[in-house]
Amino acid sequence: MLESLRNLSVSLVGIVHTRLELLSTDISEEREQLTTFLILVLVALGCFGLGIVLLAVLIAIFFWETHRLLALAGLTGFFLAAGIGLGGYAMHRIRTKPRLFAASLAELSKDRQALGPKS
């Protein structure tokens, strides 16, 4: 009887240890992905922003003598529409992001079902 309790406790400790390792791996991977994503987004936004400003100045200067107000209004409308569209897309991506620790939670659920009472 004592030996069987000891084996059960060793098995439970092993299961908990494995799950904690999986959770640690999930956290590490999520942190690395988030850091890389933020760096890439910030660099891309900086480059894209500078390019857009320079393009807007170029277009405004090109149409300065003939249709400067029309050119500036068109650029303003384009940038506002692009900002709204990209903001909506970003919100969609945030809402549909996979759950954090999904793999760990799935494994813990399997463990709970396996250890639970049999019907």
Side-chain angles (χ1 to χ4, degrees):
M1 176 77 166
L2 186 58
E3 185 66 27
S4 126
L5 284 175
R6 185 177 302 170
N7 288 340
L8 178 62
S9 64
V10 168
S11 294
L12 288 175
V13 168
I15 288 171
V16 169
H17 182 263
T18 302
R19 299 311 172 234
L20 288 175
E21 284 180 349
L22 182 59
L23 183 64
S24 173
T25 302
D26 284 346
I27 291 171
S28 177
E29 288 177 358
E30 188 69 24
R31 185 181 63 231
E32 287 178 27
Q33 288 178 359
L34 183 61
T35 302
T36 302
F37 177 75
L38 286 176
I39 289 171
L40 289 174
V41 164
L42 290 175
V43 171
L45 284 175
C47 292
F48 192 64
L50 184 60
I52 286 176
V53 168
L54 291 174
L55 178 64
V57 168
L58 178 68
I59 291 172
I61 290 172
F62 184 76
F63 288 106
W64 193 256
E65 295 298 323
T66 56
H67 305 290
R68 73 175 155 246
L69 291 178
L70 182 62
L72 291 172
L75 288 169
T76 301
F78 172 76
F79 290 132
L80 287 175
I84 290 169
L86 290 172
Y89 178 68
M91 293 304 294
H92 170 73
R93 291 285 308 256
I94 288 171
R95 286 188 198 116
T96 59
K97 183 180 179 285
R99 240 176 107 181
L100 186 60
F101 310 129
S104 296
L105 291 171
E107 288 300 319
L108 286 172
S109 177
K110 286 180 191 176
D111 292 344
R112 185 177 50 200
Q113 289 175 356
L115 293 173
K118 305 291 183 208
S119 301

